[in-house]
Amino acid sequence: MTYSKQDLLGLKDFYNNQLLSDTIPFWFPRSYDKEYSGFLLMRDRDGSLLDDDKAVWIQGRATWLLATLYNTVEKKPEWLEGAKLGYEFLNKYCFDTDGQMFFHVTRDGKPIRKRRYFFSETFYVIAAAAYAKASSDEEAAINARKIFGDCIAYSRGEKKLNPKFFNTRPSKGIGVPMIMINTAQQLRETIGDGRCDELIMTWINEIENYFVKDDIKCVMEEVVPDGSIIDHIDGRTLTPGHAIEGAWFILHEAKCRNNDKHLIDLGCRMLDYMWERGWDKEYGGMLYFRDVYNKPVQEYWQDMKFWWPQNETIIATLLAYTLTGNEKYAQWHKLVHDYSYKHFHDKINGEWFGYLHRDGSIAQAAKGNLFKGPFHLPRQEWYCMQLLYDFLK
Amino acid sequence: MTYSKQDLLGLKDFYNNQLLSDTIPFWFPRSYDKEYSGFLLMRDRDGSLLDDDKAVWIQGRATWLLATLYNTVEKKPEWLEGAKLGYEFLNKYCFDTDGQMFFHVTRDGKPIRKRRYFFSETFYVIAAAAYAKASSDEEAAINARKIFGDCIAYSRGEKKLNPKFFNTRPSKGIGVPMIMINTAQQLRETIGDGRCDELIMTWINEIENYFVKDDIKCVMEEVVPDGSIIDHIDGRTLTPGHAIEGAWFILHEAKCRNNDKHLIDLGCRMLDYMWERGWDKEYGGMLYFRDVYNKPVQEYWQDMKFWWPQNETIIATLLAYTLTGNEKYAQWHKLVHDYSYKHFHDKINGEWFGYLHRDGSIAQAAKGNLFKGPFHLPRQEWYCMQLLYDFLK
């Protein structure tokens, strides 16, 4: 099969409607915290509040989402108001005195936990950059660029975080170059930053040279600094949905660079390898973890279906299809799209469930917690809608 | 139903055979690492090695197991040899220069990870104490008592570990008094220690006064230091199998104290409350996590069936039955015993799978990893065999 123009128009409308009439209204404006700023996002299937704590990643991501909708979809005052609440909370309560950001805080911004990563910071950058564009707030632009500088320093090891592991078995993860590519892309597309073009290529080269293994058709999650495979349980563990997210960041870069052939080829190889390893041929859906040599994965929940790997795969397959016209990607897109909206979408209350058993039954019905909030799903619906709008022009 | 004497004799033989002809031969002697000392325990379903790393908890637990078999079942030189290998590895490679123990090391004892808990230390204590008894090694007895002293200091906050959380929402967990009760019981039963009797009662009182909630029929996993419930997702999360493990530590203490009525009543209440909350009435087996108010649990894999909660429930129900004669406990014991040996036991290769989906199908088939090794299952088979031997005398 392939997609006709009519099919693609239908998909564009579908994503548009899901985003604006189902996903966004589930979260906003009811989650705006007008008392302390920020958002109350830990919600049960029906939207009732499970916990008033705030996850810093998700406060940043929700701020980015609202500002991005304002910048790209419609100048709705409600969205700008929400982005401002989020941006204020991040600035007021989410930085420790040492400049590092927290991971988990109370409703009124008291710290619960700080982690030894800089992902809170990367989500701050995209939030502040999108908010700066939406509000024309110059200070937000300055802050976005400053914390982006911190992230670059962390990613290069110039700024150090407390290590979680001893240096006995040095390793590096694909997560760092991936998140930096996307952070830089967002910065470039909102307020612009002269550092981004070159840095993005550096991080893409890092992924291509160290993590993509053509001989075994695989994208590794973690490798020895020289790129070799760590033959221990953790080192062998693959996260197909994550690698596929990396694939579409690279395909997006190809699109930004006049459909750069080398980048299209790289992104499609990554997608091909990890579709093959992650797609569940029995039940459908993208599995969470795999072992590079098909040995047992330590994480016992490895065969569950999480929402976000499906979101990333929906974007990657549609982007690959629009860039290559290869029918295979239309087929894959239809498979993952149909599976996901059938099993994850909550037809009663809106939004998606986050966690299914391998067979597609619901394992846990909450819509928001410390790890899930308004990000992967609305980003997918927004990105695919914009992508199809451009493609069909 | 209830158990006849014949039934109990049959159970005793069953546990004896499973332990000595199925569980132990799966692990030993093939896991002895004669090159570096310690054990190679990260094994696939068929016993093949998945990883040669060593988990410090499990090195300690395996040492305890082999020494305990030697002390209580048979003076087999092979078991003493294994216990010596384990004890040597713990001493040589598992302590950091600051005196704190590691969590995860390489085969040759180089550190990978240290954690902000003192569970490695408690398993060292029971390993060194049991080995001291088996070998009459005076230094091992001194070491066991010394590290037990460290554990007491950690448990009282006199010795500090790097905290994982800020002090915004102070809490305490049932894990600390529980592990200390068991550690002290093991120490008392092997080499003896004058501190144990009184300390055990202090920790039992701590559990009774702060974690057992008769009004809502529940044993909390974590509470505010004053014992009140933390109404946030993490604070509401219950681990029924863990609370039931705590119940049998207390029932065991009741048995050690001439069938102390108050302790029998406390242990049985804990078992009753958490059986009701954790037992899966649809598929059988003990579920992993529950929410105290039946809200969604954050951990997505909350409805999986892990091996060890079943082991702890098998012990607790049999112990409750032998102490009270209440037929309910015989029924519960039969339910969890039958479920477990049907679904978890690997009839082809021996030992148990660790991780089932809620419906009883296998989620991950490895027998050993960073978290699973020769402990909960052989301890259950050993404990129940000894218990029935005493009971039927």
Side-chain angles (χ1 to χ4, degrees):
Chain A
M1 64 141 275
T2 187
Y3 280 138
S4 66
K5 191 166 177 183
Q6 209 50 43
D7 293 334
L8 294 175
L9 276 165
L11 274 173
K12 178 172 76 72
D13 290 343
F14 177 81
Y15 291 130
N16 182 82
N17 288 338
Q18 284 297 124
L19 178 69
L20 300 178
S21 308
D22 184 301
T23 307
I24 297 298
F26 179 87
W27 296 107
F28 307 116
R30 70 171 150 192
S31 299
Y32 292 178
D33 185 352
K34 295 192 181 173
E35 196 171 342
Y36 293 99
S37 71
F39 312 102
L40 296 166
L41 297 168
M42 298 191 181
R43 295 187 179 274
D44 205 347
R45 63 192 304 161
D46 63 357
S48 60
L49 205 63
L50 283 170
D51 197 323
D52 64 4
D53 280 355
K54 291 169 178 167
V56 176
W57 287 22
I58 303 184
Q59 298 291 310
R61 288 163 154 190
T63 306
W64 169 85
L65 175 66
L66 288 162
T68 298
L69 292 176
Y70 185 85
N71 292 333
T72 61
V73 177
E74 190 194 329
K75 298 260 168 288
K76 246 181 132 165
E78 181 186 296
W79 290 341
L80 184 59
E81 181 204 0
K84 188 162 190 271
L85 283 169
Y87 178 65
E88 281 175 3
F89 189 82
L90 291 169
N91 280 329
K92 242 162 124 174
Y93 300 115
C94 300
F95 284 87
D96 200 354
T97 47
D98 61 5
Q100 207 198 317
M101 292 186 78
F102 299 123
F103 172 74
H104 177 184
V105 300
T106 61
R107 182 180 175 188
D108 57 351
K110 297 203 181 69
I112 302 271
R113 191 174 171 197
K114 190 156 82 167
R115 295 185 73 176
R116 293 164 284 189
Y117 308 104
F118 60 98
F119 292 110
S120 292
E121 282 79 353
T122 63
F123 298 121
Y124 177 88
V125 173
I126 64 172
Y131 176 68
K133 176 168 178 172
S135 64
S136 305
D137 180 332
E138 262 310 305
E139 200 189 276
I142 291 166
N143 285 339
R145 292 198 181 96
K146 178 177 165 292
I147 303 300
F148 182 58
D150 287 351
C151 294
I152 295 171
Y154 284 127
S155 77
R156 290 176 174 160
E158 294 159 7
K159 239 176 137 75
K160 302 257 183 232
L161 291 162
N162 247 342
K164 192 166 167 177
F165 296 92
F166 288 89
N167 208 27
T168 297
R169 185 178 292 151
S171 72
K172 60 183 183 184
I174 197 173
V176 169
M178 266 180 60
I179 196 80
M180 293 306 288
I181 292 168
N182 185 250
T183 305
Q185 286 172 339
Q186 292 301 321
L187 194 62
R188 188 178 58 190
E189 284 163 32
T190 48
I191 53 173
D193 189 297
R195 294 170 287 187
C196 292
D197 279 337
E198 195 188 328
L199 281 170
I200 289 171
M201 283 314 301
T202 309
W203 290 315
I204 292 178
N205 289 337
E206 166 95 8
I207 290 175
E208 182 169 16
N209 296 332
Y210 294 97
F211 295 92
V212 178
K213 304 293 177 200
D214 293 308
D215 53 341
I216 55 167
K217 295 182 184 293
C218 190
V219 183
M220 303 305 296
E221 193 67 20
E222 209 191 318
V223 289
V224 180
D226 70 4
S228 48
I229 292 175
I230 303 168
D231 195 6
H232 288 274
I233 293 173
D234 288 349
R236 288 197 303 262
T237 303
L238 311 173
T239 317
H242 196 227
I244 286 172
E245 186 182 18
W248 81 253
F249 292 167
I250 291 171
L251 292 174
H252 179 77
E253 195 60 25
K255 195 166 161 256
C256 296
R257 296 182 190 241
N258 268 318
N259 295 351
D260 180 287
K261 279 208 165 23
H262 179 76
L263 294 182
I264 292 176
D265 176 64
L266 173 61
C268 287
R269 261 153 55 215
M270 290 171 66
L271 172 56
D272 292 353
Y273 298 163
M274 299 316 278
W275 174 279
E276 185 56 36
R277 286 176 181 265
W279 183 255
D280 184 345
K281 289 175 190 75
E282 192 172 344
Y283 292 99
M286 193 54 63
L287 295 158
Y288 202 96
F289 288 125
R290 305 275 83 198
D291 181 280
V292 61
Y293 304 130
N294 293 314
K295 295 184 180 181
V297 174
Q298 184 154 275
E299 300 302 338
Y300 22 83
W301 45 275
Q302 45 90 25
D303 67 359
M304 286 182 72
K305 308 282 164 63
F306 277 39
W307 82 107
W308 68 262
Q310 325 306 325
N311 295 133
E312 304 312 323
T313 307
I314 288 172
I315 297 179
T317 49
L318 190 63
L319 191 46
Y321 176 67
T322 61
L323 286 169
T324 65
N326 187 335
E327 291 186 10
K328 170 177 79 177
Y329 296 124
Q331 283 164 19
W332 289 357
H333 177 267
K334 189 167 163 41
L335 276 173
V336 63
H337 172 102
D338 289 351
Y339 174 87
S340 300
Y341 281 94
K342 180 172 172 202
H343 290 92
F344 283 93
H345 179 221
D346 179 354
K347 274 92 189 162
I348 296 164
N349 304 288
E351 242 275 344
W352 282 19
F353 302 113
Y355 310 96
L356 310 183
H357 300 119
R358 185 176 170 197
D359 66 7
S361 58
I362 297 169
Q364 202 263 47
K367 300 285 171 54
N369 58 32
L370 209 47
F371 307 102
K372 183 177 185 292
F375 186 62
H376 291 279
L377 171 62
R379 179 172 75 167
Q380 171 234 301
E381 291 170 338
W382 165 79
Y383 190 92
C384 290
M385 169 182 108
Q386 304 281 105
L387 174 65
L388 290 169
Y389 182 83
D390 279 356
F391 186 70
L392 294 164
K393 258 198 308 212
Chain B
M1 66 140 272
T2 187
Y3 280 137
S4 66
K5 190 166 179 183
Q6 207 50 44
D7 292 334
L8 295 175
L9 275 167
L11 274 173
K12 178 172 76 71
D13 290 343
F14 177 81
Y15 291 130
N16 182 83
N17 287 337
Q18 284 297 123
L19 178 69
L20 300 178
S21 308
D22 184 301
T23 308
I24 296 299
F26 179 87
W27 296 106
F28 306 116
R30 70 172 150 192
S31 298
Y32 291 179
D33 185 351
K34 296 194 181 172
E35 196 171 341
Y36 293 99
S37 70
F39 311 103
L40 296 166
L41 297 167
M42 297 190 181
R43 295 187 179 274
D44 206 348
R45 63 193 304 161
D46 63 357
S48 59
L49 205 63
L50 283 169
D51 197 324
D52 63 4
D53 279 355
K54 291 170 180 169
V56 176
W57 287 21
I58 303 184
Q59 298 292 311
R61 288 163 154 191
T63 305
W64 169 84
L65 174 66
L66 288 162
T68 298
L69 292 176
Y70 184 85
N71 292 334
T72 60
V73 178
E74 189 194 328
K75 298 260 168 288
K76 244 181 132 163
E78 182 187 295
W79 290 340
L80 183 59
E81 180 205 2
K84 187 162 191 271
L85 283 170
Y87 177 66
E88 281 175 2
F89 189 82
L90 291 168
N91 280 329
K92 241 162 125 174
Y93 300 116
C94 299
F95 284 88
D96 200 355
T97 47
D98 62 5
Q100 208 198 318
M101 292 186 79
F102 300 122
F103 172 73
H104 178 183
V105 300
T106 60
R107 182 180 176 188
D108 57 351
K110 297 204 180 69
I112 302 271
R113 191 174 172 198
K114 189 156 82 168
R115 295 185 74 176
R116 292 164 286 187
Y117 309 103
F118 61 97
F119 291 110
S120 292
E121 282 79 353
T122 62
F123 298 120
Y124 178 88
V125 173
I126 64 172
Y131 176 70
K133 176 168 178 173
S135 65
S136 306
D137 180 331
E138 261 310 306
E139 200 188 276
I142 292 166
N143 286 339
R145 292 197 180 96
K146 176 175 168 292
I147 303 299
F148 183 58
D150 287 350
C151 294
I152 294 171
Y154 284 127
S155 76
R156 290 175 173 162
E158 294 160 7
K159 239 176 138 77
K160 303 258 183 231
L161 290 162
N162 247 343
K164 192 164 168 178
F165 296 93
F166 289 90
N167 208 28
T168 297
R169 186 178 291 151
S171 73
K172 59 182 183 184
I174 197 173
V176 169
M178 264 179 62
I179 195 81
M180 292 306 288
I181 292 168
N182 186 250
T183 305
Q185 287 172 338
Q186 291 302 320
L187 194 62
R188 189 178 57 189
E189 285 164 31
T190 48
I191 54 174
D193 188 297
R195 295 169 287 186
C196 293
D197 279 337
E198 195 188 328
L199 282 170
I200 289 172
M201 282 316 298
T202 310
W203 290 314
I204 291 178
N205 289 337
E206 167 93 8
I207 291 176
E208 182 169 17
N209 295 332
Y210 295 96
F211 295 92
V212 178
K213 306 290 177 200
D214 292 309
D215 54 341
I216 55 167
K217 295 183 186 289
C218 191
V219 183
M220 303 304 296
E221 193 68 20
E222 208 189 320
V223 290
V224 180
D226 71 4
S228 48
I229 291 175
I230 303 169
D231 194 7
H232 289 275
I233 293 174
D234 289 348
R236 289 197 302 263
T237 303
L238 311 173
T239 318
H242 197 225
I244 287 172
E245 187 181 16
W248 80 253
F249 292 166
I250 291 171
L251 292 174
H252 179 77
E253 194 60 25
K255 196 166 160 254
C256 295
R257 294 180 191 244
N258 267 320
N259 296 350
D260 180 287
K261 279 207 165 23
H262 179 76
L263 294 182
I264 292 175
D265 176 64
L266 174 61
C268 287
R269 260 152 57 216
M270 291 170 65
L271 171 57
D272 290 354
Y273 298 163
M274 300 316 278
W275 174 278
E276 186 56 35
R277 287 176 179 265
W279 182 255
D280 185 345
K281 290 176 188 76
E282 192 173 344
Y283 292 100
M286 194 52 65
L287 295 157
Y288 202 96
F289 288 125
R290 306 274 83 199
D291 181 279
V292 60
Y293 304 131
N294 293 313
K295 295 185 179 180
V297 174
Q298 184 153 273
E299 301 301 339
Y300 22 83
W301 45 273
Q302 44 92 24
D303 68 358
M304 287 181 71
K305 308 280 165 63
F306 279 37
W307 82 107
W308 67 263
Q310 324 307 324
N311 296 133
E312 303 312 323
T313 307
I314 289 173
I315 297 178
T317 48
L318 190 62
L319 191 46
Y321 177 68
T322 60
L323 286 168
T324 65
N326 186 335
E327 290 186 12
K328 170 177 81 176
Y329 296 124
Q331 282 163 23
W332 289 358
H333 177 267
K334 187 166 163 43
L335 276 173
V336 63
H337 172 101
D338 289 352
Y339 175 86
S340 301
Y341 280 94
K342 180 172 171 201
H343 290 91
F344 283 94
H345 180 222
D346 179 353
K347 274 92 189 163
I348 295 164
N349 304 288
E351 243 275 345
W352 282 20
F353 301 114
Y355 310 96
L356 310 184
H357 301 120
R358 184 176 170 199
D359 67 7
S361 57
I362 296 168
Q364 202 262 49
K367 301 285 171 55
N369 59 33
L370 210 46
F371 306 102
K372 183 178 186 291
F375 185 61
H376 291 281
L377 171 62
R379 180 173 75 168
Q380 170 234 302
E381 291 169 339
W382 165 79
Y383 189 92
C384 291
M385 169 181 107
Q386 304 281 105
L387 174 65
L388 290 169
Y389 181 84
D390 279 356
F391 187 71
L392 294 164
K393 258 197 310 211

